[in-house]
Amino acid sequence: MSNWLQKQSKNKFISALSILVAGSAVSNLILVSITPILTRIYTTEEFGVLSESIKYFV
């Protein structure tokens, strides 16, 4: 099993894919952890305006 894992870690595609997956997981973790803070700061109406603004500018 460890021989297979060492062989796969040298594969450039698997290495790049694991970096992308890790980055996506970290960004989702940040989003989930900051959402309660944002809901305490903004009211429902302000949160809607914020999300619409982000939608148009991004």
Side-chain angles (χ1 to χ4, degrees), residues 31-43:
L31 178 66
V32 167
S33 64
I34 198 121
T35 299
I37 297 168
L38 289 176
T39 56
R40 299 250 180 202
I41 294 172
Y42 298 115
T43 64

Side-chain angles (χ1 to χ4, degrees), residues 14-58:
I14 300 295
S15 177
L17 184 65
S18 65
I19 290 171
L20 287 173
V21 168
S24 179
V26 168
S27 69
N28 283 330
L29 184 64
I30 291 169
L31 178 66
V32 167
S33 64
I34 198 121
T35 299
I37 297 168
L38 289 176
T39 56
R40 299 250 180 202
I41 294 172
Y42 298 115
T43 64
T44 306
E45 183 178 320
E46 292 171 335
F47 203 80
V49 170
L50 176 68
S51 66
E52 287 295 317
S53 301
I54 290 172
K55 181 176 77 173
Y56 288 121
F57 290 120
V58 175

